[in-house]
Amino acid sequence: MVESDIVIVGGGAAGLSLAHRLPRNTVRRQAVSAVLVDAPAGPLRAPPRTWCFWEAGRGRYHSAVTASWEWLRIHSRRGTAVLRPIAPLRYKMIRSDDFEALVANDLAQRPWIRRIEATVHDVAFRRGGPAHVRATDASGARVDLAARWVFDSRPLHRLPAARTHLLQHFRGWFVRTRRPVFDPAVAELMDFRTPQPARGLSFGYVLPTSRHTALVEYTEFGPAPLTADAYDTALEHYTHQVLGIGPVQVLATEQGVIPMTDAVLPARAAPTVFRIGVAGGCTRPSTGYTFAAIQRQTEAVARAVRAGRRPAPPPPHPRRARMMDAVLLRALDTGRVDGPDFFCRLFDRVPVTRLLRFLDGRTRLYEDLAVGAHAPVAPMLRTAAELRWLPRRPFPAP
């Protein structure tokens, strides 16, 4: 049995961020010990992926940032472009491999944080005693851990019931072109010149890393993912017919599915077992952005540990932001709001730094009202009025 103050289950963005931020001692100079449990190489470990966020200055993870941009652009379905500078912010991209290498180097210098590879089977809470984590390592040997606090970042097997069930699903190509076609200063946040599906919306997403290289993604908000062939067909159309960038060499791919739902995710599994990261509600339901909320959540936990307080993770997004997300998701799902027109209007008419704060859930009430004034008021009010009467239904798939 390995005993420690804290066990972190999962070595993704949330688990690594929390381990990276944990203090060595509390303010009363009590030593803090922790164990980070990551899944062995295999199907339980997530493939390489990309995280994006915006912030001012260099930031904590500056050395792991692949690229950043000072301009954001949106294209409407009709081809109208809206280009906005976001200074003093920058839109940043981090590849998971680079992030993991940065944190691994940091943890190697922190002997009070032990890192092991094992598959966690269950986390049990015993009243009046420590929480117990049962796992097996790659050889099949049993691993038993006990801790005062457990932070579990593993994905939920099934989401709680919700009124709206949408998915943000995407496939991206890291491409190299023959001609210098990309502008490394501009990120294409949403390009609605893609064919729109019968239900939901679609857009292209372009993050240039040089004049010749970029991450180009096709994204849909809708009820179900596409097949790999359908994604590739959509990307072929977008790169050749919409962007017109000519022949491309596909260097790598990434693909993912993000639930967009008003389900209420449980903040804890037991009095001393907390959920963090995506499992703890860090994904913003209306946008899919997660990384910045993970940083806020894990920093709050680290501060509580340092102060010697109960380190319960705070809600990643304010209640008001979650309510607005629920209304928007329902309005998009019912077709009452035209998604491409809605997002283009916001980007065109709302000051971009305010809009980014709004998307981060950091605006005040008067700013939310100012942003809401540019939304289609009647459909939004109708949707808000009906939400309280709608039943929450089980999520249709794991």
Side-chain angles (χ1 to χ4, degrees):
M1 177 75 70
V2 177
E3 297 183 354
S4 64
D5 296 306
I6 292 169
V7 167
I8 303 169
V9 180
L16 291 175
S17 296
L18 179 55
H20 180 62
R21 293 174 180 271
L22 281 179
R24 182 169 189 170
N25 300 289
T26 68
V27 291
R28 297 181 180 178
R29 300 194 178 279
Q30 295 172 319
V32 175
S33 61
V35 177
L36 171 64
V37 187
D38 197 5
L44 292 181
R45 181 171 288 191
R49 54 221 181 275
T50 298
W51 300 308
C52 290
F53 59 102
W54 46 85
E55 68 176 352
R58 289 172 59 88
R60 174 182 286 263
Y61 306 115
H62 177 76
S63 63
V65 171
T66 302
S68 66
W69 301 270
E70 57 188 357
W71 294 80
L72 297 181
R73 182 169 56 212
I74 281 186
H75 270 96
S76 72
R77 280 179 293 193
R78 295 168 291 278
T80 304
V82 179
L83 181 65
R84 293 285 184 263
I86 62 171
L89 303 174
R90 291 188 73 91
Y91 191 70
K92 299 182 177 183
M93 175 175 73
I94 288 183
R95 301 295 311 280
S96 59
D97 287 348
D98 296 328
F99 179 78
E100 291 167 10
L102 182 151
V103 177
N105 182 65
D106 171 69
L107 296 184
Q109 304 172 52
R110 297 183 173 205
W112 64 94
I113 301 178
R114 180 179 175 185
R115 189 172 185 180
I116 64 175
E117 288 192 352
T119 300
V120 172
H121 302 295
D122 61 60
V123 180
F125 166 73
R126 296 178 182 176
R127 188 174 299 278
H132 288 265
V133 177
R134 184 174 63 87
T136 53
D137 64 18
S139 70
R142 180 170 174 171
V143 178
D144 289 319
L145 307 170
R148 185 180 180 191
W149 310 106
V150 174
F151 298 90
D152 193 347
S153 67
R154 292 174 299 167
L156 299 176
H157 176 66
R158 186 173 291 275
L159 290 172
R163 293 165 294 199
T164 303
H165 305 116
L166 288 176
L167 299 173
Q168 180 182 159
H169 53 95
F170 58 90
R171 183 173 175 86
W173 288 346
F174 289 86
V175 302
R176 182 185 302 277
T177 61
R178 295 177 184 175
R179 297 182 290 112
V181 296
F182 299 116
D183 183 348
V186 179
E188 189 81 41
L189 199 63
M190 286 181 162
D191 187 344
F192 293 108
R193 293 176 293 176
T194 54
Q196 295 301 308
R199 180 181 171 192
L201 60 91
S202 73
F203 58 88
Y205 179 55
V206 183
L207 301 181
T209 52
S210 74
R211 296 286 291 170
H212 290 268
T213 56
L215 168 61
V216 181
E217 284 190 354
Y218 173 80
T219 300
E220 281 192 15
F221 292 1
L226 307 181
T227 64
D229 287 344
Y231 284 123
D232 285 342
T233 298
L235 280 165
E236 288 278 358
H237 175 270
Y238 182 58
T239 55
H240 290 87
Q241 303 300 319
V242 178
L243 297 180
I245 59 178
V248 300
Q249 177 188 3
V250 179
L251 306 174
T253 63
E254 70 171 24
Q255 186 168 322
V257 179
I258 302 171
M260 302 181 70
T261 169
D262 63 351
V264 179
L265 299 183
R268 64 181 189 177
T272 61
V273 180
F274 304 107
R275 302 191 188 279
I276 58 172
V278 174
C282 282
T283 298
R284 184 76 192 265
S286 60
T287 65
Y289 285 108
T290 305
F291 191 80
I294 284 175
Q295 303 314 310
R296 294 194 298 270
Q297 186 186 67
T298 54
E299 175 58 26
V301 170
R303 284 199 305 267
V305 171
R306 187 178 298 110
R309 304 192 309 268
R310 181 173 180 268
H317 304 289
R319 178 180 174 84
R320 190 169 69 248
R322 299 197 302 273
M323 292 174 59
M324 291 186 293
D325 284 347
V327 173
L328 176 59
L329 291 177
R330 175 68 179 174
L332 290 174
D333 194 30
T334 58
R336 292 177 191 147
V337 168
D338 183 285
D341 287 351
F342 171 78
F343 287 111
C344 286
R345 182 186 301 180
L346 288 187
F347 201 79
D348 186 38
R349 301 183 182 181
V350 178
V352 70
T353 52
R354 173 180 291 178
L355 180 58
L356 293 179
R357 289 201 311 277
F358 176 78
L359 295 177
D360 240 352
R362 293 185 166 191
T363 42
R364 298 181 179 181
L365 177 59
Y366 78 90
E367 293 178 298
D368 291 341
L369 295 174
V371 173
H374 299 290
V377 176
M380 288 297 202
L381 289 178
R382 176 187 172 188
T383 302
E386 77 174 7
L387 272 182
R388 63 177 296 183
W389 308 108
L390 293 175
R392 293 184 179 271
R393 296 173 289 110
F395 211 82

